[in-house]
Amino acid sequence: MCVAIRRFTEKDIPYKVKWINDEKNNKYLHYDLPLREDKTLVWFRNIKDRTDRADYTITYNDEPAGLIGLLNIDQKNKKAEYYICLGEERYKGRGIAYTASKLLIDIAYNQLGLKRIYLYTETGNIPAQRLFEKIGFEKEGLLKNDLIHNGRNIDRYIYGLDLETYVKGNQGGK
């Protein structure tokens, strides 16, 4: 299994649109759907040179398999928000998200100099919570009525990962 992450590029837009519009993927995502390629191209051109985010495409055996990245990169406080979305069912349950997450954490710590990564997940998104906990994220709290999406009140957990502790605990190998 060859899992890698590379910078998200314009050629990845059709994949992003397809994956985010897929009902199996967007249940816990908070996009205004459906995504469209033309609007996503405008979005990409607006964000591609920003330093407060880092967007990557996950590849599996050189094929695009998902999206991963860091949002709200805060260099002053050395933290960022993590996100991930695997594209198709055939990529799920194979350790791809876990491996891609490890690669992203390495970039966050060694290239961006971050000390903390955090994420939000809906309380009902149990498969994602299992992944986050396997990686080493710790559940830090419950945010009641944190979002309103499509008229629905959403409770979310916040998870955090202290990167220095994580790196010290994983120095024996990746």
Side-chain angles (χ1 to χ4, degrees):
M1 170 174 83
C2 183
V3 177
I5 63 175
R6 61 166 171 74
R7 280 296 201 165
F8 184 90
T9 65
E10 199 170 302
K11 70 180 180 184
D12 296 317
I13 289 171
Y15 295 109
K16 177 175 180 155
V17 170
K18 177 184 174 189
W19 296 334
I20 300 302
N21 286 336
D22 185 332
E23 287 181 7
K24 293 182 191 96
N25 292 334
N26 65 33
K27 180 176 181 181
Y28 297 110
L29 302 178
H30 306 116
Y31 284 85
D32 291 325
L33 298 173
L35 285 192
R36 294 186 357 209
E37 283 191 33
D38 58 339
K39 288 186 175 185
T40 304
L41 177 60
V42 170
W43 162 84
F44 175 71
R45 289 181 176 160
N46 285 330
I47 62 95
K48 68 184 172 99
D49 297 322
R50 286 179 32 189
T51 58
D52 66 334
R53 63 183 298 144
D55 299 282
Y56 297 90
T57 299
I58 302 167
T59 60
Y60 176 69
N61 296 333
D62 296 322
E63 291 292 318
L67 308 168
I68 192 168
L70 299 168
L71 305 172
N72 304 311
I73 297 172
D74 177 348
Q75 282 297 345
K76 179 179 182 255
N77 295 298
K78 302 291 183 199
K79 65 180 182 174
E81 181 181 346
Y82 159 105
Y83 74 86
I84 188 166
C85 175
L86 281 183
E88 297 173 32
E89 286 301 309
R90 65 188 167 119
Y91 298 126
K92 296 177 183 177
R94 297 173 152 224
I96 295 168
Y98 179 80
T99 302
S101 296
K102 297 272 219 186
L103 295 169
L104 182 69
I105 290 165
D106 183 63
I107 290 169
Y109 184 75
N110 291 309
Q111 293 178 25
L112 299 175
L114 300 180
K115 300 201 180 299
R116 172 179 163 75
I117 299 175
Y118 60 93
L119 63 89
Y120 302 96
T121 185
E122 286 193 30
T123 56
N125 193 351
I126 305 302
Q129 292 166 36
R130 281 194 202 109
L131 168 68
F132 304 145
E133 291 168 9
K134 181 180 176 185
I135 292 165
F137 282 90
E138 293 181 11
K139 190 184 293 179
E140 297 179 337
L142 171 64
L143 305 169
K144 302 278 285 166
N145 296 317
D146 189 46
L147 294 177
I148 298 173
H149 185 69
N150 294 333
R152 184 171 65 97
N153 287 329
I154 298 171
D155 295 342
R156 297 194 301 176
Y157 292 121
I158 183 166
Y159 278 79
L161 181 66
D162 178 280
L163 295 180
E164 290 179 332
T165 303
Y166 173 86
V167 168
K168 285 180 187 156
N170 287 283
Q171 285 179 336
K174 292 184 180 179

